[in-house]
Amino acid sequence: HAGHAQGTRGIPVRGRQVLRESNPSADRPPPTRAKREPRPARLPFPPVLPPPRAPPTLMPLTERTDSPRLITQVDIQLTNSYPFEAPKMRFITKVWHPNVSSANGAICLDILKDQWSPALSIKTAMLSLQALLSTPEPNDPQDAVVARQYLDSHEE
């Protein structure tokens, strides 16, 4: 119908956009086919094979030397206007952060508000959210109590 743009495969334009963004192979260039030299019918000598590689060593999470990982759940809502309107994102997991509301999980992030552009994607929003979690902005808080605690603890 008139208010719902359809693609050639029956998937709404917004749905195709989300599928394209969520496809991990979309970031890779399409494969190219190189012209192969014809192989001789029989090799003149046995091929040289690389030595077998040892399997990777897996360490329990507690023994890893890299920074600890925080696993959270984020609710992402897309309106019919996406990608022309920012996705609505909020934390479901309780997060103690100056730029996240401890009451409802609302996120204070400029690209989710007035700095959104249709050129951005859900992936961009998630990377920006990841950056925000590692570099809080306590002077532009979503949660003033957490921001005050953050500032007080860093002044000591």
Side-chain angles (χ1 to χ4, degrees):
H1 67 315
H4 199 65
Q6 293 285 329
T8 56
R9 296 185 184 193
I11 299 174
V13 173
R14 179 175 65 117
R16 284 186 291 144
Q17 171 87 17
V18 172
L19 287 173
R20 192 169 42 253
E21 289 177 10
S22 63
N23 183 355
S25 64
D27 293 339
R28 288 185 242 143
T32 58
R33 294 194 175 242
K35 203 169 192 178
R36 292 184 184 175
E37 292 292 322
R39 279 183 25 177
R42 205 158 112 166
L43 294 174
F45 49 85
V48 177
L49 299 175
R53 293 191 316 185
T57 304
L58 299 177
M59 297 169 50
L61 190 59
T62 55
E63 293 180 19
R64 292 187 183 176
T65 57
D66 56 333
S67 61
R69 306 258 184 234
L70 174 65
I71 298 174
T72 59
Q73 288 185 317
V74 178
D75 178 44
I76 302 173
Q77 303 274 325
L78 302 176
T79 67
N80 288 332
S81 300
Y82 179 83
F84 301 101
E85 184 178 308
K88 309 285 186 238
M89 296 172 61
R90 72 174 187 85
F91 277 98
I92 296 171
T93 308
K94 295 288 186 189
V95 177
W96 197 253
H97 190 280
N99 306 109
V100 177
S101 169
S102 57
N104 62 15
I107 302 165
C108 181
L109 185 59
D110 60 352
I111 70 163
L112 296 180
K113 309 230 182 316
D114 59 338
Q115 296 300 310
W116 179 258
S117 160
L120 300 175
S121 65
I122 296 170
K123 181 178 179 179
T124 309
M126 293 301 292
L127 289 171
S128 297
L129 181 56
Q130 183 180 22
L132 179 71
L133 290 176
S134 62
T135 55
E137 296 287 340
N139 295 321
D140 184 23
Q142 178 72 30
D143 193 313
V145 173
V146 176
R148 175 69 359 224
Q149 289 179 349
Y150 178 85
L151 289 170
D152 290 346
S153 71
H154 277 77
E155 290 172 359
E156 295 174 356

Short mmCIF file of all heavy atoms in Angstrom, two decimals, residues 62-108:
data_model
loop_
_atom_site.label_atom_id
_atom_site.label_comp_id
_atom_site.label_asym_id
_atom_site.label_seq_id
_atom_site.Cartn_x
_atom_site.Cartn_y
_atom_site.Cartn_z
N THR A 62 38.71 -15.65 34.17
CA THR A 62 39.34 -15.04 35.35
C THR A 62 40.85 -14.94 35.22
O THR A 62 41.48 -14.14 35.89
CB THR A 62 39.01 -15.84 36.62
OG1 THR A 62 39.39 -17.20 36.40
CG2 THR A 62 37.54 -15.76 36.94
N GLU A 63 41.46 -15.75 34.34
CA GLU A 63 42.92 -15.74 34.20
C GLU A 63 43.39 -14.86 33.04
O GLU A 63 44.58 -14.71 32.84
CB GLU A 63 43.42 -17.17 33.98
CG GLU A 63 43.24 -18.05 35.18
CD GLU A 63 43.74 -19.46 34.92
OE1 GLU A 63 44.54 -19.65 33.98
OE2 GLU A 63 43.32 -20.37 35.65
N ARG A 64 42.49 -14.32 32.28
CA ARG A 64 42.89 -13.51 31.13
C ARG A 64 43.49 -12.19 31.61
O ARG A 64 43.07 -11.63 32.62
CB ARG A 64 41.71 -13.25 30.21
CG ARG A 64 41.27 -14.52 29.52
CD ARG A 64 40.24 -14.24 28.50
NE ARG A 64 39.81 -15.52 27.92
CZ ARG A 64 38.86 -15.63 27.04
NH1 ARG A 64 38.24 -14.57 26.61
NH2 ARG A 64 38.53 -16.80 26.57
N THR A 65 44.44 -11.71 30.85
CA THR A 65 45.11 -10.47 31.25
C THR A 65 44.45 -9.23 30.66
O THR A 65 44.73 -8.13 31.09
CB THR A 65 46.59 -10.50 30.79
OG1 THR A 65 46.62 -10.71 29.38
CG2 THR A 65 47.35 -11.60 31.50
N ASP A 66 43.57 -9.41 29.65
CA ASP A 66 42.92 -8.23 29.08
C ASP A 66 41.85 -7.71 30.03
O ASP A 66 41.53 -8.31 31.04
CB ASP A 66 42.34 -8.57 27.70
CG ASP A 66 41.37 -9.74 27.74
OD1 ASP A 66 41.49 -10.60 28.63
OD2 ASP A 66 40.51 -9.79 26.86
N SER A 67 41.30 -6.56 29.69
CA SER A 67 40.32 -5.92 30.57
C SER A 67 39.07 -6.78 30.70
O SER A 67 38.74 -7.54 29.80
CB SER A 67 39.95 -4.55 30.01
OG SER A 67 39.37 -4.70 28.73
N PRO A 68 38.37 -6.67 31.83
CA PRO A 68 37.17 -7.48 32.03
C PRO A 68 36.08 -7.10 31.03
O PRO A 68 36.00 -5.96 30.59
CB PRO A 68 36.76 -7.16 33.47
CG PRO A 68 37.40 -5.86 33.77
CD PRO A 68 38.64 -5.79 32.95
N ARG A 69 35.28 -8.05 30.67
CA ARG A 69 34.19 -7.83 29.71
C ARG A 69 32.90 -7.61 30.47
O ARG A 69 32.61 -8.29 31.44
CB ARG A 69 34.04 -9.03 28.80
CG ARG A 69 35.33 -9.41 28.12
CD ARG A 69 35.32 -8.93 26.71
NE ARG A 69 36.53 -9.39 26.05
CZ ARG A 69 37.35 -8.57 25.43
NH1 ARG A 69 37.10 -7.31 25.37
NH2 ARG A 69 38.42 -9.04 24.84
N LEU A 70 32.11 -6.66 29.99
CA LEU A 70 30.81 -6.38 30.57
C LEU A 70 29.78 -6.82 29.55
O LEU A 70 29.79 -6.35 28.41
CB LEU A 70 30.66 -4.89 30.87
CG LEU A 70 29.30 -4.41 31.33
CD1 LEU A 70 28.96 -5.03 32.68
CD2 LEU A 70 29.27 -2.91 31.41
N ILE A 71 28.93 -7.75 29.91
CA ILE A 71 27.89 -8.22 29.01
C ILE A 71 26.59 -7.58 29.46
O ILE A 71 26.18 -7.72 30.61
CB ILE A 71 27.79 -9.76 29.03
CG1 ILE A 71 29.10 -10.35 28.52
CG2 ILE A 71 26.60 -10.22 28.19
CD1 ILE A 71 29.19 -11.84 28.63
N THR A 72 25.97 -6.85 28.55
CA THR A 72 24.73 -6.14 28.86
C THR A 72 23.70 -6.43 27.79
O THR A 72 24.03 -6.86 26.69
CB THR A 72 24.95 -4.61 28.93
OG1 THR A 72 25.46 -4.18 27.66
CG2 THR A 72 25.93 -4.24 30.01
N GLN A 73 22.45 -6.14 28.13
CA GLN A 73 21.37 -6.23 27.16
C GLN A 73 20.90 -4.82 26.85
O GLN A 73 20.68 -4.01 27.77
CB GLN A 73 20.21 -7.05 27.69
CG GLN A 73 20.51 -8.53 27.75
CD GLN A 73 19.27 -9.30 28.18
OE1 GLN A 73 18.56 -8.90 29.09
NE2 GLN A 73 19.03 -10.41 27.52
N VAL A 74 20.78 -4.52 25.57
CA VAL A 74 20.31 -3.21 25.12
C VAL A 74 19.06 -3.44 24.28
O VAL A 74 19.05 -4.26 23.36
CB VAL A 74 21.39 -2.50 24.27
CG1 VAL A 74 20.88 -1.16 23.76
CG2 VAL A 74 22.66 -2.30 25.09
N ASP A 75 18.00 -2.71 24.60
CA ASP A 75 16.77 -2.75 23.82
C ASP A 75 16.92 -1.76 22.68
O ASP A 75 17.22 -0.59 22.91
CB ASP A 75 15.58 -2.38 24.71
CG ASP A 75 14.27 -2.37 23.95
OD1 ASP A 75 14.03 -3.30 23.17
OD2 ASP A 75 13.48 -1.42 24.15
N ILE A 76 16.75 -2.23 21.44
CA ILE A 76 16.85 -1.36 20.27
C ILE A 76 15.52 -1.39 19.55
O ILE A 76 15.06 -2.46 19.12
CB ILE A 76 17.98 -1.84 19.32
CG1 ILE A 76 19.31 -1.88 20.05
CG2 ILE A 76 18.06 -0.93 18.10
CD1 ILE A 76 20.44 -2.50 19.25
N GLN A 77 14.89 -0.23 19.43
CA GLN A 77 13.61 -0.11 18.74
C GLN A 77 13.82 0.73 17.48
O GLN A 77 14.44 1.80 17.54
CB GLN A 77 12.59 0.62 19.63
CG GLN A 77 12.35 -0.04 20.97
CD GLN A 77 11.31 -1.12 20.89
OE1 GLN A 77 10.35 -1.01 20.15
NE2 GLN A 77 11.50 -2.17 21.67
N LEU A 78 13.31 0.26 16.35
CA LEU A 78 13.39 0.99 15.10
C LEU A 78 12.00 1.44 14.69
O LEU A 78 11.07 0.64 14.69
CB LEU A 78 13.99 0.12 14.00
CG LEU A 78 15.38 -0.45 14.26
CD1 LEU A 78 15.80 -1.37 13.13
CD2 LEU A 78 16.39 0.65 14.45
N THR A 79 11.87 2.71 14.34
CA THR A 79 10.59 3.21 13.86
C THR A 79 10.51 2.99 12.36
O THR A 79 11.49 2.61 11.71
CB THR A 79 10.44 4.71 14.16
OG1 THR A 79 11.38 5.43 13.37
CG2 THR A 79 10.66 5.02 15.64
N ASN A 80 9.36 3.25 11.78
CA ASN A 80 9.20 3.13 10.34
C ASN A 80 10.04 4.17 9.61
O ASN A 80 10.26 4.05 8.40
CB ASN A 80 7.72 3.28 9.94
CG ASN A 80 6.92 2.07 10.33
OD1 ASN A 80 7.45 0.96 10.41
ND2 ASN A 80 5.64 2.26 10.59
N SER A 81 10.53 5.19 10.31
CA SER A 81 11.34 6.24 9.69
C SER A 81 12.83 5.91 9.65
O SER A 81 13.61 6.68 9.11
CB SER A 81 11.15 7.56 10.44
OG SER A 81 9.81 7.95 10.40
N TYR A 82 13.23 4.78 10.26
CA TYR A 82 14.65 4.40 10.22
C TYR A 82 15.04 4.12 8.78
O TYR A 82 14.27 3.52 8.06
CB TYR A 82 14.88 3.16 11.09
CG TYR A 82 16.32 2.69 11.08
CD1 TYR A 82 17.24 3.29 11.91
CD2 TYR A 82 16.75 1.70 10.21
CE1 TYR A 82 18.57 2.88 11.89
CE2 TYR A 82 18.07 1.30 10.18
CZ TYR A 82 18.97 1.89 11.03
OH TYR A 82 20.29 1.52 11.00
N PRO A 83 16.17 4.57 8.31
CA PRO A 83 17.35 5.15 8.95
C PRO A 83 17.33 6.68 9.05
O PRO A 83 18.33 7.28 9.40
CB PRO A 83 18.49 4.68 8.05
CG PRO A 83 17.89 4.70 6.69
CD PRO A 83 16.46 4.26 6.90
N PHE A 84 16.19 7.29 8.72
CA PHE A 84 16.12 8.75 8.79
C PHE A 84 15.88 9.25 10.20
O PHE A 84 16.00 10.43 10.48
CB PHE A 84 15.04 9.27 7.82
CG PHE A 84 15.33 8.85 6.41
CD1 PHE A 84 14.66 7.79 5.84
CD2 PHE A 84 16.30 9.49 5.67
CE1 PHE A 84 14.95 7.38 4.54
CE2 PHE A 84 16.60 9.10 4.38
CZ PHE A 84 15.92 8.04 3.82
N GLU A 85 15.55 8.35 11.09
CA GLU A 85 15.37 8.66 12.50
C GLU A 85 16.22 7.69 13.31
O GLU A 85 16.33 6.52 12.96
CB GLU A 85 13.89 8.48 12.87
CG GLU A 85 13.55 8.86 14.29
CD GLU A 85 12.06 8.69 14.55
OE1 GLU A 85 11.25 9.23 13.77
OE2 GLU A 85 11.73 8.00 15.53
N ALA A 86 16.84 8.19 14.37
CA ALA A 86 17.74 7.38 15.19
C ALA A 86 17.00 6.20 15.82
O ALA A 86 15.81 6.31 16.14
CB ALA A 86 18.36 8.23 16.29
N PRO A 87 17.70 5.09 16.01
CA PRO A 87 17.07 3.99 16.75
C PRO A 87 16.86 4.41 18.20
O PRO A 87 17.61 5.22 18.73
CB PRO A 87 18.10 2.85 16.65
CG PRO A 87 19.39 3.49 16.30
CD PRO A 87 19.07 4.78 15.60
N LYS A 88 15.84 3.88 18.81
CA LYS A 88 15.59 4.12 20.24
C LYS A 88 16.32 3.02 20.99
O LYS A 88 16.04 1.84 20.79
CB LYS A 88 14.10 4.06 20.57
CG LYS A 88 13.22 4.91 19.67
CD LYS A 88 13.32 6.36 20.00
CE LYS A 88 12.32 7.16 19.19
NZ LYS A 88 12.93 8.18 18.39
N MET A 89 17.27 3.41 21.84
CA MET A 89 18.07 2.43 22.56
C MET A 89 18.01 2.71 24.06
O MET A 89 18.04 3.88 24.47
CB MET A 89 19.53 2.47 22.07
CG MET A 89 19.68 2.06 20.63
SD MET A 89 21.34 2.32 19.94
CE MET A 89 22.33 1.27 20.99
N ARG A 90 17.95 1.65 24.84
CA ARG A 90 18.03 1.77 26.30
C ARG A 90 18.59 0.46 26.84
O ARG A 90 18.43 -0.60 26.24
CB ARG A 90 16.69 2.11 26.93
CG ARG A 90 15.70 0.98 26.92
CD ARG A 90 14.42 1.30 27.69
NE ARG A 90 13.61 0.11 27.78
CZ ARG A 90 13.73 -0.83 28.71
NH1 ARG A 90 14.62 -0.72 29.66
NH2 ARG A 90 12.95 -1.89 28.70
N PHE A 91 19.25 0.57 27.99
CA PHE A 91 19.78 -0.63 28.63
C PHE A 91 18.67 -1.36 29.35
O PHE A 91 17.86 -0.75 30.06
CB PHE A 91 20.87 -0.25 29.65
CG PHE A 91 22.22 -0.06 29.02
CD1 PHE A 91 22.67 1.21 28.72
CD2 PHE A 91 23.04 -1.15 28.74
CE1 PHE A 91 23.90 1.40 28.14
CE2 PHE A 91 24.27 -0.97 28.16
CZ PHE A 91 24.70 0.31 27.86
N ILE A 92 18.62 -2.66 29.18
CA ILE A 92 17.74 -3.51 29.98
C ILE A 92 18.50 -3.90 31.24
O ILE A 92 17.95 -3.89 32.34
CB ILE A 92 17.31 -4.76 29.17
CG1 ILE A 92 16.48 -4.31 27.97
CG2 ILE A 92 16.55 -5.73 30.05
CD1 ILE A 92 16.18 -5.43 26.99
N THR A 93 19.78 -4.21 31.07
CA THR A 93 20.66 -4.53 32.19
C THR A 93 20.90 -3.27 33.01
O THR A 93 21.10 -2.20 32.44
CB THR A 93 22.03 -5.05 31.66
OG1 THR A 93 21.79 -6.10 30.74
CG2 THR A 93 22.92 -5.51 32.79
N LYS A 94 20.87 -3.40 34.33
CA LYS A 94 21.18 -2.26 35.20
C LYS A 94 22.65 -1.89 35.02
O LYS A 94 23.54 -2.73 35.14
CB LYS A 94 20.92 -2.58 36.67
CG LYS A 94 19.46 -2.82 36.98
CD LYS A 94 18.70 -1.52 36.92
CE LYS A 94 17.26 -1.74 37.37
NZ LYS A 94 16.43 -0.57 37.14
N VAL A 95 22.91 -0.62 34.68
CA VAL A 95 24.26 -0.13 34.45
C VAL A 95 24.47 1.10 35.32
O VAL A 95 23.64 2.01 35.33
CB VAL A 95 24.47 0.22 32.95
CG1 VAL A 95 25.84 0.79 32.71
CG2 VAL A 95 24.24 -0.99 32.08
N TRP A 96 25.57 1.13 36.07
CA TRP A 96 25.91 2.26 36.94
C TRP A 96 26.89 3.13 36.18
O TRP A 96 28.09 2.88 36.17
CB TRP A 96 26.50 1.75 38.25
CG TRP A 96 26.51 2.76 39.35
CD1 TRP A 96 27.60 3.41 39.85
CD2 TRP A 96 25.40 3.25 40.09
NE1 TRP A 96 27.23 4.26 40.85
CE2 TRP A 96 25.87 4.19 41.02
CE3 TRP A 96 24.03 3.00 40.05
CZ2 TRP A 96 25.05 4.86 41.91
CZ3 TRP A 96 23.21 3.66 40.93
CH2 TRP A 96 23.72 4.58 41.85
N HIS A 97 26.38 4.15 35.48
CA HIS A 97 27.19 4.98 34.59
C HIS A 97 26.58 6.38 34.55
O HIS A 97 25.35 6.51 34.52
CB HIS A 97 27.18 4.34 33.19
CG HIS A 97 28.15 4.95 32.23
ND1 HIS A 97 27.89 6.12 31.57
CD2 HIS A 97 29.36 4.53 31.80
CE1 HIS A 97 28.92 6.41 30.78
NE2 HIS A 97 29.82 5.45 30.91
N PRO A 98 27.39 7.43 34.54
CA PRO A 98 26.85 8.79 34.55
C PRO A 98 25.92 9.09 33.36
O PRO A 98 25.02 9.92 33.49
CB PRO A 98 28.08 9.69 34.49
CG PRO A 98 29.22 8.85 34.92
CD PRO A 98 28.86 7.44 34.59
N ASN A 99 26.11 8.44 32.24
CA ASN A 99 25.34 8.75 31.04
C ASN A 99 24.23 7.75 30.75
O ASN A 99 23.67 7.73 29.66
CB ASN A 99 26.28 8.85 29.84
CG ASN A 99 27.39 9.84 30.10
OD1 ASN A 99 28.53 9.44 30.27
ND2 ASN A 99 27.07 11.12 30.18
N VAL A 100 23.92 6.91 31.76
CA VAL A 100 22.84 5.94 31.65
C VAL A 100 21.96 6.09 32.88
O VAL A 100 22.45 6.10 34.00
CB VAL A 100 23.38 4.49 31.56
CG1 VAL A 100 22.25 3.48 31.51
CG2 VAL A 100 24.30 4.33 30.36
N SER A 101 20.65 6.20 32.66
CA SER A 101 19.72 6.32 33.78
C SER A 101 19.67 5.02 34.56
O SER A 101 19.41 3.96 33.99
CB SER A 101 18.32 6.66 33.26
OG SER A 101 17.37 6.52 34.30
N SER A 102 19.93 5.10 35.87
CA SER A 102 19.84 3.89 36.70
C SER A 102 18.39 3.50 36.93
O SER A 102 18.10 2.38 37.31
CB SER A 102 20.57 4.09 38.03
OG SER A 102 20.06 5.20 38.70
N ALA A 103 17.45 4.42 36.66
CA ALA A 103 16.03 4.13 36.85
C ALA A 103 15.43 3.36 35.67
O ALA A 103 14.71 2.38 35.86
CB ALA A 103 15.25 5.42 37.07
N ASN A 104 15.72 3.81 34.42
CA ASN A 104 15.04 3.20 33.27
C ASN A 104 15.97 2.78 32.13
O ASN A 104 15.50 2.33 31.10
CB ASN A 104 13.96 4.13 32.74
CG ASN A 104 14.52 5.45 32.25
OD1 ASN A 104 15.72 5.60 32.03
ND2 ASN A 104 13.64 6.42 32.07
N GLY A 105 17.28 2.95 32.29
CA GLY A 105 18.22 2.52 31.26
C GLY A 105 18.38 3.49 30.09
O GLY A 105 19.06 3.17 29.11
N ALA A 106 17.76 4.68 30.18
CA ALA A 106 17.88 5.67 29.10
C ALA A 106 19.35 6.05 28.92
O ALA A 106 20.11 6.13 29.88
CB ALA A 106 17.05 6.90 29.41
N ILE A 107 19.75 6.27 27.67
CA ILE A 107 21.14 6.54 27.32
C ILE A 107 21.27 7.98 26.83
O ILE A 107 20.53 8.40 25.95
CB ILE A 107 21.62 5.57 26.23
CG1 ILE A 107 21.46 4.12 26.71
CG2 ILE A 107 23.04 5.87 25.82
CD1 ILE A 107 21.56 3.09 25.60
N CYS A 108 22.24 8.70 27.39
CA CYS A 108 22.53 10.06 26.96
C CYS A 108 23.68 9.99 25.96
O CYS A 108 24.85 9.94 26.35
CB CYS A 108 22.90 10.93 28.16
SG CYS A 108 23.24 12.65 27.72
#
